[in-house]
Amino acid sequence: MGYYCRKIGGLLVTLLLVSLITFGVFQILPGNPAYIILGVDADPLQIEALEKSLGLDLPLYQRYWNWVVGLFQGDLGTSLRYQQPVSQLIADGLKVTGSLALVSIILTVAIGLPAGIWLAGHSEKKYAVGLSMISQLSLSIPAFCMGIFLINIFSVQLKWLPSMSYVSWSEDPLGSIRSLILPAFSMSLGSAAVLIRYVKVSVTNQKKQDYVRTAYSKGLTSRRVMYGHVVRNSLIPVITILGMTVADILGGSIITENIFSLPGIGRLISVSINSRDLPLIQGLVLYLAVIVVICNFVVDIVYSVVDPRIRLK
Amino acid sequence: MKKYFSSMSFCVGFVLVSFMLFVLVVSLFWLPYDTTAMDMSHKLSGPFGGHLLGTDQFGRDILSRLMKGVQVSFLIGLLVVAFGSIMGILIGSFAGYFGGKVDEVIMKLIDTQMAFPGVLLAMMLIAVFGNGLFNTVLALAIMSVPRFARITRSGYMKYREADFVKAERIRGAGSLRIMFVHILPNIKSEIVATASLAFAGAVMSEAGLSYLGMGVQPPDPSLGIMLSEAQDYILRAGWYVLIPCAAITILVMGFNLVGDGIQEINERR
């Protein structure tokens, strides 16, 4: 129980720090935000009105408090560019980014897990070297290069999959998956390479354990030993990697959504930064950071349920 | 140095990095053409004509722009690693050496920073301070601090109760002397490996930011800018897209492999 209390305490402190950083960074903005939004030669009355509506005439702690209270009421302010509530924009973007992340994670696991397990069984040097080169290559090709080439091959030349068009899940489920395959693939390649390595190392370590020798001497087939014992135990550390993958995929979506013109969170971020839409940037940054923190928290909890020894450390 | 060549990763990485270093050194003294000189009569001409790697949509020489872009990438990579490692090593050594409350507070801050995924933190800083070379370096350096801090911290935790450290303490050496004269040299190779990986990360992030128009500003060539300009011409001039992609990949892969190779040898010891 103490373990969980500590974890929840840690989560709350991290969330507090994340909110302070997100709020603080945008307060050290050089110059008056109202001037930045309206331009230097704006009417003083307009500036004053905007300052009031942004709450800039209040002291700093008061503004932070209002902002946090707003957060709990689901009010993240109004986007200057879109003239819509930030929470509404995020909710719309999340549908796209969420499905993109889901497809990417499924692809990552579908590629990384079997490949890692297979490689652990084939430790000959030629496979090991080949793997490390291929995984290095897929880690080193930037996602946007990969995206451009995938669009060129599969959409332009072969015309198999659409590009630059997003079909929502409720309109056409199959079309939605088709429109997400290319972006998801370009993002999951790198994370699959990471997953393969971890699965391989983890399976190789487990195979050296005593219980594996016992299982063999009981007369189990190597298949049973592998899938009934080794793989199950090796997946424990892999949970951590999956948690980290969520963060990577959310970070990667910023660039990938721009290449594929997907109307998700990532695209909103680059639009909001280029148009200096501060309430929107602030809301988006906070939102992504909170998702990552909560994911890490869930991973810690799942980890401790799967492997109770962790709670004693 | 010699022992590292027994690692395949290190050898391949070394070759790739040396190649890019060669390009860098040549570019410092000689460029085939002016990087911003336009020649409208030779737009998007293919490679191996008058221009070795062809010309872009304004008739500018791609090879010259590529070489200049490699300069920018190396400059950013070096500055990011320099700033990031200094800050990270300082933070990590205090956390690792003193432990306890200091460590707890520092690690909590580092964990909080890790909550901002990928280039998000860099983009946030660029949104505040504006874009440009220096701000890009600053943003990416801050992004790389946790990496250095973590590796330094774990090194210090390993050595802080080592016999040679106890001996120094008995001889009356101060904490700072023990930290930076006695312990730091022992984790040199871990830090070099991290620096190599961080360099690759910085090159990749810079290209990504420039691709989105948030890094180095045109007309200065950067590999990311070249790529974002090139992608509109992918049907007419596929090689134009391929060239900056290949340069980024070789640079990133080279430094990643060197870093991995060093780590591999460290673990083998």
Side-chain angles (χ1 to χ4, degrees):
Chain A
M1 203 58 220
Y3 174 81
Y4 294 110
C5 288
R6 262 205 321 274
K7 278 283 157 204
I8 292 172
L11 172 75
L12 294 178
V13 173
T14 312
L15 287 177
L16 177 73
L17 285 173
V18 163
S19 76
L20 275 172
I21 291 176
T22 318
F23 181 80
V25 162
F26 292 105
Q27 300 308 312
I28 49 172
L29 208 63
N32 184 335
Y35 277 107
I36 293 172
I37 294 159
L38 291 174
V40 242
D41 37 42
D43 184 4
L45 282 175
Q46 262 183 310
I47 297 275
E48 204 176 305
L50 187 67
E51 274 183 345
K52 239 202 172 77
S53 76
L54 290 174
L56 290 173
D57 47 348
L58 298 170
L60 204 57
Y61 66 89
Q62 185 79 46
R63 269 187 280 160
Y64 176 70
W65 178 249
N66 289 349
W67 185 64
V68 171
V69 170
L71 290 181
F72 280 104
Q73 296 164 343
D75 173 20
L76 292 159
T78 308
S79 156
L80 303 168
R81 185 188 144 98
Y82 295 95
Q83 292 299 327
Q84 280 179 37
V86 171
S87 47
Q88 181 61 44
L89 288 166
I90 291 182
D92 290 343
L94 192 68
K95 284 180 202 148
V96 181
T97 307
S99 28
L100 179 62
L102 193 68
V103 178
S104 307
I105 290 172
I106 292 173
L107 275 177
T108 305
V109 175
I111 301 171
L113 207 56
I117 294 173
W118 185 83
L119 273 160
H122 297 75
S123 50
E124 295 91 331
K125 194 154 189 213
K126 57 178 180 188
Y127 291 120
V129 171
L131 159 87
S132 80
M133 290 302 147
I134 291 175
S135 72
Q136 279 295 348
L137 191 65
S138 48
L139 273 175
S140 308
I141 300 180
F144 47 96
C145 287
M146 204 62 213
I148 294 171
F149 286 119
L150 287 176
I151 292 177
N152 191 31
I153 297 171
F154 291 100
S155 312
V156 180
Q157 313 277 355
L158 297 172
K159 300 197 168 52
W160 284 357
L161 293 162
S163 73
M164 310 286 177
S165 65
Y166 173 71
V167 185
S168 83
W169 181 255
S170 50
E171 268 173 55
D172 173 9
L174 197 68
S176 169
I177 292 182
R178 276 165 57 93
S179 71
L180 288 174
I181 283 185
L182 287 185
F185 185 73
S186 75
M187 286 205 295
S188 46
L189 211 60
S191 35
V194 177
L195 186 66
I196 289 177
R197 285 199 196 179
Y198 274 91
V199 172
K200 187 194 160 216
V201 170
S202 178
V203 171
T204 313
N205 286 342
Q206 287 297 325
K207 277 168 101 176
K208 292 183 199 143
Q209 303 284 322
D210 288 342
Y211 74 85
V212 176
R213 202 182 50 202
T214 312
Y216 273 117
S217 46
K218 277 199 304 189
L220 294 184
T221 59
S222 57
R223 222 188 148 72
R224 275 290 295 279
V225 176
M226 194 67 185
Y227 293 98
H229 297 272
V230 174
V231 169
R232 280 178 58 177
N233 281 317
S234 349
L235 291 188
I236 297 173
V238 172
I239 296 172
T240 321
I241 302 304
L242 277 182
M244 278 156 64
T245 310
V246 174
D248 280 350
I249 284 177
L250 284 177
S253 72
I254 301 173
I255 290 172
T256 307
E257 285 178 8
N258 269 288
I259 308 167
F260 289 90
S261 306
L262 296 175
I265 302 263
R267 186 148 178 81
L268 270 183
I269 289 181
S270 58
V271 169
S272 65
I273 288 181
N274 281 326
S275 59
R276 305 194 71 88
D277 186 344
L278 294 178
L280 187 54
I281 307 175
Q282 213 171 22
L284 286 164
V285 169
L286 180 80
Y287 193 76
L288 281 187
V290 168
I291 294 185
V292 172
V293 172
I294 291 180
C295 270
N296 287 338
F297 173 74
V298 171
V299 165
D300 279 350
I301 297 299
V302 171
Y303 209 109
S304 76
V305 172
V306 181
D307 184 2
R309 286 171 301 179
I310 213 93
R311 267 175 271 173
L312 300 172
K313 278 186 189 162
Chain B
M1 192 68 190
K2 208 172 156 191
K3 65 180 179 218
Y4 292 118
F5 284 99
S6 65
S7 151
M8 180 75 180
S9 304
F10 185 85
C11 291
V12 177
F14 186 80
V15 171
L16 295 178
V17 171
S18 310
F19 173 70
M20 291 317 267
L21 271 174
F22 173 73
V23 173
L24 171 75
V25 171
V26 171
S27 76
L28 291 175
F29 298 102
W30 176 78
L31 288 172
Y33 290 87
D34 183 356
T35 52
T36 49
M38 301 188 196
D39 177 2
M40 284 307 195
S41 56
H42 292 96
K43 281 192 284 190
L44 295 171
S45 66
F48 306 117
H51 300 264
L52 188 59
L53 294 180
T55 53
D56 69 2
Q57 73 277 23
F58 298 117
R60 295 175 298 195
D61 181 52
I62 292 180
L63 179 61
S64 310
R65 290 179 65 75
L66 186 82
M67 289 164 81
K68 196 84 186 175
V70 170
Q71 275 183 18
V72 173
S73 291
F74 264 100
L75 179 71
I76 290 184
L78 276 179
L79 289 175
V80 166
V81 167
F83 286 144
S85 61
I86 292 172
M87 287 190 279
I89 289 171
L90 277 177
I91 294 174
S93 34
F94 278 96
Y97 186 75
F98 292 108
K101 281 273 173 287
V102 182
D103 181 39
E104 234 169 78
V105 171
I106 290 178
M107 288 323 284
K108 195 81 223 167
L109 286 173
I110 297 268
D111 282 345
T112 310
Q113 193 190 326
M114 305 276 266
F116 299 93
V119 288
L120 184 64
L121 188 74
M123 289 172 102
M124 186 164 102
L125 295 171
I126 287 169
V128 173
F129 296 110
N131 38 27
L133 187 79
F134 180 75
N135 289 340
T136 310
V137 168
L138 190 73
L140 295 178
I142 293 178
M143 216 173 97
S144 74
V145 168
R147 260 190 145 130
F148 286 103
R150 280 171 174 248
I151 198 82
T152 314
R153 173 179 177 262
S154 66
Y156 272 74
M157 284 167 73
K158 194 165 110 197
Y159 286 112
R160 73 176 170 212
E161 296 304 328
D163 286 343
F164 71 92
V165 172
K166 283 184 187 154
E168 284 304 321
R169 225 172 264 149
I170 292 165
R171 281 174 55 184
S175 295
L176 285 179
R177 190 178 167 80
I178 296 178
M179 281 161 72
F180 296 109
V181 179
H182 296 287
I183 300 185
L184 194 58
N186 284 297
I187 52 171
K188 202 169 52 193
S189 60
E190 281 87 348
I191 290 174
V192 172
T194 312
S196 189
L197 297 174
F199 192 104
V203 170
M204 184 90 120
S205 306
E206 185 276 325
L209 288 172
S210 296
Y211 175 84
L212 294 179
M214 291 174 207
V216 181
Q217 294 302 301
D220 282 342
S222 130
L223 299 176
I225 291 179
M226 284 179 76
L227 194 62
S228 77
E229 286 177 351
Q231 66 168 332
D232 297 335
Y233 304 95
I234 189 162
L235 290 181
R236 282 167 60 199
W239 81 92
Y240 179 20
V241 182
L242 201 62
I243 289 164
C245 269
I248 299 171
T249 308
I250 293 174
L251 204 52
V252 172
M253 190 165 168
F255 278 98
N256 268 339
L257 283 171
V258 167
D260 272 4
I262 299 175
Q263 267 179 352
E264 201 182 302
I265 301 293
N266 288 341
E267 278 161 22
R268 225 184 272 169
R269 266 189 306 184

